[in-house]
Amino acid sequence: MSCPLYQDFTRNCIQKFPDFLEFPTFDFCASDDYKDCIAYLIFTSEFSCSYLTTCGNAYKKNIPKIITKMLGEKEIREIFYKYSVQYCISQENHITCAKYKLLSEGKIPPINLFPDGSKSNLIELLLKRKLITQPPE
């Protein structure tokens, strides 16, 4: 089975979420794992944070392409999926997101800041090909 948003070898979810990171292949869309896709999760969610597009756009513009390619890797994808569920589509928790708080104050959050306040080291991510986070300060 494949994603219902994947039709005629095209991701129709991109029409609704053009600012989201692009996955390197369509393999994920054409598999039974499509329900683990962040775009599918958000598309089918009843609620999403008002800064969702702002955050998605910041990642697309500011993260090196090699890291976006890593989103095809299950371990990395699962981390972003977890944060999306816990904050981005949670009506209760989205206001506790570290990025939400900064954006609400009119500040631009650093690209390596995660919703729980931890930060990643992008260089280590590239070198070790895994996500390493440092606890909130």
Side-chain angles (χ1 to χ4, degrees), residues 120-131:
S120 68
N121 184 329
L122 297 179
I123 299 302
E124 286 188 30
L125 175 62
L126 285 171
L127 295 175
K128 295 182 180 177
R129 300 197 50 88
K130 64 180 183 177
L131 191 60

Side-chain angles (χ1 to χ4, degrees), residues 5-137:
L5 304 174
Y6 180 61
Q7 300 164 356
D8 298 325
F9 304 104
T10 304
R11 293 181 184 107
N12 292 331
C13 58
I14 280 303
Q15 294 171 0
K16 184 167 182 173
F17 302 111
D19 298 325
F20 278 90
L21 297 172
E22 299 165 15
F23 283 92
T25 72
F26 291 107
D27 293 345
F28 194 56
C29 307
S31 75
D32 289 336
D33 294 332
Y34 73 89
K35 291 179 183 171
D36 295 334
C37 174
I38 296 169
Y40 179 81
L41 170 73
I42 293 167
F43 193 85
T44 57
S45 173
E46 293 179 15
F47 172 84
S48 62
C49 173
S50 57
Y51 294 118
L52 190 64
T53 301
T54 303
C55 287
N57 195 29
Y59 278 113
K60 186 172 181 179
K61 288 182 179 177
N62 297 315
I63 287 188
K65 289 287 182 195
I66 191 164
I67 293 177
T68 62
K69 291 184 185 301
M70 290 173 66
L71 284 174
E73 296 176 16
K74 186 176 181 179
E75 298 82 21
I76 302 296
R77 194 174 61 242
E78 285 175 351
I79 291 167
F80 281 94
Y81 185 90
K82 179 187 92 168
Y83 283 129
S84 297
V85 169
Q86 194 171 359
Y87 295 96
C88 306
I89 62 169
S90 169
Q91 194 162 6
E92 298 81 27
N93 293 341
H94 77 283
I95 58 174
T96 64
C97 171
K99 288 183 179 262
Y100 178 92
K101 290 176 183 177
L102 288 174
L103 288 164
S104 295
E105 296 170 4
K107 298 176 183 173
I108 299 173
I111 198 67
N112 67 337
L113 178 67
F114 284 101
D116 65 358
S118 64
K119 292 183 179 179
S120 68
N121 184 329
L122 297 179
I123 299 302
E124 286 188 30
L125 175 62
L126 285 171
L127 295 175
K128 295 182 180 177
R129 300 197 50 88
K130 64 180 183 177
L131 191 60
I132 299 170
T133 60
Q134 295 134 4
E137 297 172 352

